[in-house]
Amino acid sequence: MEIIQQIMNGISVGSIYALIALGYTMVYGIIKLINFAHGDVFMLGAFIGFYAITIFQMNFFVALIFSMAITAVIGVLIERIAYKRLRNATRIAALITAIGVSLLIEYGFIFIRGAQPEAYPDVFGRQSVSLFGATIDIKALLILSVSVVLMLLLQFIVHKTKTGKAMRAVSHDTEAAKLMGINVDNTISATFAIGSALAGAAGVIFGLYYTKIDPLMGVIPGLKAFVAAVLGGIGIIPGAMVGGLILGLVETFVSAIGLSLWRDAAAFVILIVILIFRPSGIFGKNSREKV
């Protein structure tokens, strides 16, 4: 039953990538910006959850919600301070700003607390359950459960709430949305808040799963989540979910066959292949666009 264990591990890791990728794809879908600071919001979420559990003695789920709330505020502040005034700027200016914000968060955080890593508290111990003859770590099931709940909640917000309808309208045509009385600024801020909250949740469950966090931990998972968003079709919410899960499964099976050193490279091989053969991603439609 080794394969069932590997599939569960792959889905769990992929769920983390999917939660981060959702932030990338939501922001791109609404203002066409690749927010490279998103991986650092993920890192901040992991540390907020860590301090909430170790210093404020919160239980895991309260710490998860606390981290999501704080990262949502951070996401809005990043948008209002760094990106809002670049709405009409060139793509390259916005892209360079995003990279600058990313570096500012990383090294500002290191300046404040130092670069030493932290060991995440093992709040659930080494519990496991038996499923179809395979032994599944309880953390993998927890990560999968939290991710599924958050993705369903996101689908509800996007399709059933006034904010979600405004997000879809702004994403489709900003000027028409303004004429219809939609507050575009608040809608974009809400998009950053939701995407950043999902990244914060991903940071907390990442720490729980890998047990070690550090101030530069957002770089590689952030890039992989970007690959997942491109794989699914950047700007398309279901695409980010599917892309993240595919990436997690591929990484896990690459490690399982004894090529763990190639695990990180697999994501970027996928990126090269998808850009060559289907640049619009699995769910995307072909369109010509300069970046």
Side-chain angles (χ1 to χ4, degrees):
M1 294 299 164
E2 176 73 17
I3 191 167
I4 295 178
Q5 292 179 9
Q6 297 300 341
I7 289 173
M8 282 302 299
N9 291 337
I11 292 175
S12 300
V13 174
S15 298
I16 296 173
Y17 292 145
L19 287 177
I20 309 172
L22 284 169
Y24 275 113
T25 211
M26 288 171 67
V27 168
Y28 183 85
I30 205 161
I31 58 172
K32 301 292 183 287
L33 168 70
I34 305 294
N35 179 20
F36 280 112
H38 193 61
D40 301 293
V41 175
F42 156 78
M43 175 272 292
L44 292 176
F47 273 94
I48 291 167
F50 170 78
Y51 291 126
I53 293 171
T54 56
I55 296 178
F56 298 109
Q57 300 296 311
M58 295 181 184
N59 73 38
F60 172 77
F61 294 103
V62 176
L64 180 73
I65 295 170
F66 179 73
S67 177
M68 291 177 67
I70 300 296
T71 49
V73 173
I74 292 171
V76 172
L77 290 176
I78 290 172
E79 190 273 328
R80 288 293 171 104
I81 296 171
Y83 299 146
K84 185 177 179 181
R85 64 195 66 196
L86 296 174
R87 298 268 172 81
N88 298 316
T90 59
R91 293 281 181 87
I92 191 67
L95 188 67
I96 292 170
T97 301
I99 294 171
V101 172
S102 172
L103 294 173
L104 178 65
I105 293 173
E106 288 170 11
Y107 290 96
F109 193 63
I110 289 174
F111 177 77
I112 292 171
R113 70 164 294 279
Q116 70 276 14
E118 298 283 1
Y120 226 76
D122 191 7
V123 292
F124 292 100
R126 295 186 176 278
Q127 303 177 52
S128 59
V129 296
S130 181
L131 185 65
F132 301 115
T135 302
I136 309 297
D137 192 328
I138 194 76
K139 292 176 190 172
L141 289 177
L142 179 70
I143 290 170
L144 181 58
S145 303
V146 170
S147 302
V148 169
V149 169
L150 291 177
M151 288 177 195
L152 291 175
L153 183 61
L154 176 63
Q155 288 295 309
F156 176 80
I157 291 172
V158 170
H159 293 286
K160 300 294 182 183
T161 67
K162 191 175 178 181
T163 300
K165 291 174 183 174
M167 287 164 58
R168 285 189 286 148
V170 173
S171 174
H172 184 69
D173 191 326
T174 303
E175 295 303 319
K178 282 182 184 175
L179 293 174
M180 296 302 292
I182 293 173
N183 188 322
V184 172
D185 287 339
N186 287 347
T187 303
I188 292 172
S189 293
T191 305
F192 270 83
I194 295 170
S196 299
L198 293 174
V204 175
I205 59 178
F206 180 95
L208 179 72
Y209 192 71
Y210 289 100
T211 70
K212 180 185 172 185
I213 57 174
D214 67 78
L216 298 180
M217 61 176 278
V219 177
I220 295 300
L223 289 174
K224 289 180 181 176
F226 172 66
V227 172
V230 173
L231 175 61
I234 194 159
I236 302 170
I237 288 176
M241 299 179 189
V242 173
L245 294 176
I246 291 175
L247 196 61
L249 286 167
V250 169
E251 274 195 16
T252 301
F253 279 98
V254 167
S255 297
I257 62 175
L259 299 174
S260 57
L261 291 177
W262 290 86
R263 177 180 170 177
D264 291 339
F268 301 104
V269 170
I270 290 173
L271 177 63
I272 293 169
V273 171
I274 199 75
L275 288 177
I276 291 173
F277 295 103
R278 192 171 173 79
S280 57
I282 296 172
F283 293 91
K285 296 178 181 177
N286 288 324
S287 62
R288 291 184 177 276
E289 186 176 14
K290 289 183 178 180
V291 177

